[in-house]
Amino acid sequence: MSYSNWLRSKVSKKQNKAAVPDHVMDEKKNRELSGSLAEAVEFMKKLLGENDDFVTHRFHVFGKHDAAIFYFSHMVDQSVINNDILKPLMLKPRESGQQDAAAPLKEVLVKDTLYHSEAILEKRFGKLVEGLLFGQSVVVVDGMDEAIMIGTRNIMKRSIDQPATEQVIRGAREGFIEMLGTNISLLRYRLQTPDLRVNTMEIGTKTKSKVAICYLAGVTNPGIVREVKNRLSKVNIDAVLDSGYLEQFIEDNHWSPFPQVQYTERPDKVAANLLEGRVAIIVDGSPLALIVPTVFGQFYQTMEDYTERYVMMSAIRLARLVALIFSLIFPSIYVAIISFNPELIPTEFAVAVAGGRAGVPFPAIIEVLFMEVTMEVLREATIRLPQQVGGALSIVGVLVIGQAAVSAGFASPITVVIIALTTIGSFATPSYNAALALRLLRFPLVILSGIFGLYGLMIGIIFIANHLLSLRSFGVPYLSPLVPGNFLDSRDLLIRGPLWKMKSRPSFLHPLDQSRTGENIEQAVIHSREDDIMEPVHNPNAKDDNSAKDDDNSAPDDKNAKEDKER
């Protein structure tokens, strides 16, 4: 036998051996318990017995019924199993206080014996195995045609910490973690309303990952909720290890560089978007929640825009938008002007640019592309290296390599400045995936500018604008509320209007409840403020002697007139 045939036979044997649990599961997936403890133990050992962390413990219920408990030792709370399950089950009836001997055994165990609120009866083998893999414990009693499935899951998790990718100066310091239950509790902590709906489903044939769909009933358009559930139900994959898996399945345009689903690890940001009428998708095992529908304006906005005064944050938002535009077209404008239209540069500045480029043997397009690729490599290396080394590499890359490139004649000083400003502009974009899309689009714009000049740059911008106009996110135009135009919604687009002026939710989401605040909230605040300032505090018990004498000496008619006037 040749080596290739021997290796092929070994691989096929391993595959057949690995496929045995699947065959056993397929055979008895919908099969029900027959009441035989030996059959249940044999099935569990045949399916899961090769795992060293799988525990099968046999004992006697009330000292006379044979039983067994199954669980994975590293996924359960051992104290709960010992104190709340095994201890009450193993006590004699007199010790446990069981008096009703006529009641069925399974009802006595679930309703009167176990000290646990998450105990249910299940007879299908498939459901029992799914519960075990999720971290639950299963108790099978000989003679009972139903097993008891008990929630004992206890998996180690990291503590709630400040979000690493979305830090703010003024705002909440809590971020999502990998546990779905904790993330939902953080969301309910901020939205303490019965309108918050959380619907779960399982996705992934192997991982059985729980996915929670969160929205506000009475606010979110039901059509959006149905569309989200419809797209998630069509996801057919063996494993969902992160929310990014689902994002690639449910987005509208899979070939677009622009993100059509926003992700965040901030519970306050998710709550704010739910209040606007959006839907949040949270995946068990991922600290990043997905928000749909998404428009382009969301990617350069932060939660800090709404926690500070609107004048200051409007200016910062405009600066952020300018940096976003610079990161896209600044290198292309430089290449187009240097290569085709140098007459647009002022004379003094043109002389300085020509002097800096005197020793560079490459055209401007090659020079810019070389520096752009170098910056992208340095950026990626900084992200992938450990934190202690990454900061030092970024400083060395910017200072040493940039200066060395200028000294060696690979690039001119003005090119290094242009690329540095472009990189800083991309860092000013809050959303990483949006900044990545702009970084990738810089390369075709630079190539078009190097070939056709300003005409090529305008053609590229027109193509990008046309693509943005054609994009939709769950039926919502991507450039809303700019296109189609809506003046009321535009008050939170380029600048941030006062909170008391933004009384309605975004109309492009078609929410059921359009109003966010009362109609006269601004007038009520102003009037209450004026009343507090203009009206003096009146204390009826504080009277001076002169006023008391005047009250005593005044005529009854004067008193009545005064009272009428006061009324």
Side-chain angles (χ1 to χ4, degrees):
M1 180 185 294
S2 63
Y3 176 76
S4 59
N5 294 333
W6 174 81
L7 182 62
R8 192 178 297 109
S9 64
K10 287 291 184 181
V11 171
S12 61
K13 289 180 180 179
K14 289 184 178 180
Q15 289 177 348
N16 293 334
K17 185 178 181 180
V20 168
D22 291 337
H23 292 324
V24 175
M25 187 65 184
D26 293 339
E27 291 175 1
K28 296 190 177 182
K29 182 177 181 180
N30 297 321
R31 186 172 175 179
E32 298 180 353
L33 290 172
S34 61
S36 173
L37 178 62
E39 180 185 1
V41 172
E42 181 185 1
F43 170 77
M44 292 297 181
K45 287 186 175 181
K46 191 174 182 180
L47 184 66
L48 304 172
E50 295 183 2
N51 300 291
D52 294 335
D53 59 337
F54 181 70
V55 177
T56 301
H57 177 67
R58 304 192 68 156
F59 62 100
H60 291 92
V61 174
F62 300 152
K64 56 182 179 179
H65 302 285
D66 290 335
I69 183 172
F70 309 96
Y71 59 89
F72 284 96
S73 58
H74 298 131
M75 297 183 67
V76 299
D77 190 344
Q78 194 67 45
S79 62
V80 173
I81 291 179
N82 294 334
N83 299 325
D84 300 343
I85 301 176
L86 291 179
K87 184 177 180 179
L89 289 178
M90 297 175 70
L91 290 176
K92 298 295 192 297
R94 288 179 300 175
E95 299 174 5
S96 61
Q98 304 297 335
Q99 301 295 333
D100 190 4
L105 179 60
K106 56 185 176 182
E107 293 186 4
V108 172
L109 296 180
V110 174
K111 297 181 179 180
D112 301 326
T113 306
L114 290 174
Y115 301 152
H116 207 287
S117 61
E118 299 181 10
I120 60 174
L121 295 171
E122 180 60 52
K123 61 174 61 177
R124 289 175 294 176
F125 278 103
K127 289 295 182 179
L128 295 177
V129 173
E130 289 180 5
L132 288 171
L133 296 175
F134 183 72
Q136 296 176 325
S137 300
V138 173
V139 176
V140 180
V141 182
D142 192 22
M144 281 179 47
D145 59 351
E146 288 182 300
I148 306 174
M149 195 159 55
I150 309 165
T152 55
R153 185 181 186 185
N154 183 27
I155 300 176
M156 296 301 295
K157 59 184 179 182
R158 65 183 177 94
S159 60
I160 298 174
D161 200 359
Q162 183 174 355
T165 58
E166 298 175 270
Q167 297 185 6
V168 295
I169 298 176
R170 184 174 182 178
R173 297 294 190 272
E174 295 176 338
F176 287 133
I177 62 173
E178 286 73 17
M179 303 300 294
L180 178 62
T182 305
N183 295 341
I184 294 177
S185 66
L186 290 175
L187 194 57
R188 286 198 178 276
Y189 166 70
R190 283 169 173 78
L191 293 175
Q192 299 180 19
T193 169
D195 295 334
L196 178 60
R197 299 287 188 269
V198 179
N199 303 140
T200 60
M201 62 174 61
E202 290 184 356
I203 301 179
T205 57
K206 295 295 184 183
T207 59
K208 303 290 184 182
S209 302
K210 278 195 173 182
V211 179
I213 304 170
C214 309
Y215 62 95
L216 284 180
V219 175
T220 308
N221 192 306
I224 297 178
V225 178
R226 285 195 300 268
E227 183 65 21
V228 171
K229 293 181 178 179
N230 182 36
R231 296 190 186 186
L232 289 176
S233 64
K234 294 180 180 179
V235 176
N236 187 13
I237 190 173
D238 59 344
V240 178
L241 304 179
D242 188 78
S243 59
Y245 284 61
L246 296 182
E247 177 184 356
Q248 300 174 57
F249 278 94
I250 65 176
E251 61 184 356
D252 290 65
N253 191 334
H254 302 289
W255 302 103
S256 174
F258 293 97
Q260 298 131 64
V261 178
Q262 187 181 27
Y263 64 81
T264 180
E265 55 180 334
R266 298 189 61 88
D268 54 346
K269 190 171 185 178
V270 174
N273 282 276
L274 293 183
L275 289 170
E276 289 186 348
R278 293 183 172 89
V279 178
I281 303 171
I282 308 176
V283 180
D284 191 16
S286 174
L288 297 172
L290 305 180
I291 299 174
V292 294
T294 304
V295 295
F296 183 74
Q298 294 178 238
F299 294 105
Y300 65 89
Q301 299 175 359
T302 64
M303 281 303 299
E304 203 170 11
D305 293 353
Y306 301 92
T307 56
E308 284 285 356
R309 293 175 296 163
Y310 71 95
V311 176
M312 299 285 108
M313 298 316 299
S314 296
I316 293 177
R317 182 180 288 186
L318 287 175
R320 207 181 293 137
L321 182 60
V322 170
L324 184 145
I325 297 174
F326 264 36
S327 65
L328 177 64
I329 65 174
F330 207 31
S332 306
I333 293 177
Y334 169 72
V335 170
I337 292 178
I338 292 297
S339 302
F340 291 90
N341 302 97
E343 68 277 2
L344 298 178
I345 308 176
T347 305
E348 294 81 2
F349 186 62
V351 172
V353 172
R357 289 186 48 80
V360 180
F362 307 110
I365 180 175
I366 302 298
E367 183 184 2
V368 169
L369 288 177
F370 170 76
M371 292 301 299
E372 283 284 1
V373 172
T374 304
M375 290 301 297
E376 291 297 327
V377 172
L378 285 174
R379 191 200 317 263
E380 188 66 20
T382 304
I383 294 175
R384 304 306 167 194
L385 281 176
Q387 187 176 1
Q388 294 81 359
V389 186
L393 177 64
S394 62
I395 297 175
V396 171
V398 171
L399 296 180
V400 178
I401 297 180
Q403 184 63 35
V406 173
S407 302
F410 283 101
S412 62
I414 183 63
T415 304
V416 176
V417 173
I418 293 295
I419 299 302
L421 292 176
T422 303
T423 304
I424 294 173
S426 65
F427 285 153
T429 304
S431 178
Y432 174 76
N433 49 1
L436 180 62
L438 298 177
R439 281 160 47 191
L440 293 179
L441 289 174
R442 283 205 300 263
F443 290 94
L445 287 181
V446 168
I447 295 174
L448 288 174
S449 300
I451 297 175
F452 302 105
L454 292 176
Y455 293 103
L457 175 60
M458 291 306 301
I459 291 173
I461 293 177
I462 290 173
F463 271 111
I464 294 174
N466 185 48
H467 175 67
L468 289 174
L469 289 171
S470 64
L471 281 181
R472 288 179 174 269
S473 176
F474 287 81
V476 176
Y478 197 60
L479 292 183
S480 300
L482 183 63
V483 179
N486 189 305
F487 174 74
L488 294 178
D489 296 338
S490 299
R491 288 183 294 187
D492 193 28
L493 181 61
L494 301 179
I495 62 174
R496 202 219 82 186
L499 292 179
W500 60 85
K501 286 289 187 182
M502 295 187 292
K503 303 177 183 178
S504 59
R505 295 182 171 86
S507 60
F508 55 83
L509 296 175
H510 304 287
L512 298 181
D513 185 8
Q514 185 71 29
S515 176
R516 302 189 63 170
T517 59
E519 293 295 330
N520 301 322
I521 183 171
E522 182 180 1
Q523 290 78 4
V525 172
I526 294 175
H527 289 325
S528 63
R529 191 183 301 124
E530 290 178 351
D531 293 341
D532 293 339
I533 296 174
M534 300 302 294
E535 292 186 2
V537 177
H538 177 66
N539 187 357
N541 298 324
K543 291 185 179 181
D544 54 4
D545 296 337
N546 295 329
S547 62
K549 292 179 181 179
D550 293 338
D551 291 341
D552 294 335
N553 297 329
S554 59
D557 297 335
D558 295 336
K559 289 183 178 181
N560 295 333
K562 185 183 292 186
E563 291 175 358
D564 294 338
K565 185 176 181 180
E566 288 176 354
R567 292 194 189 98

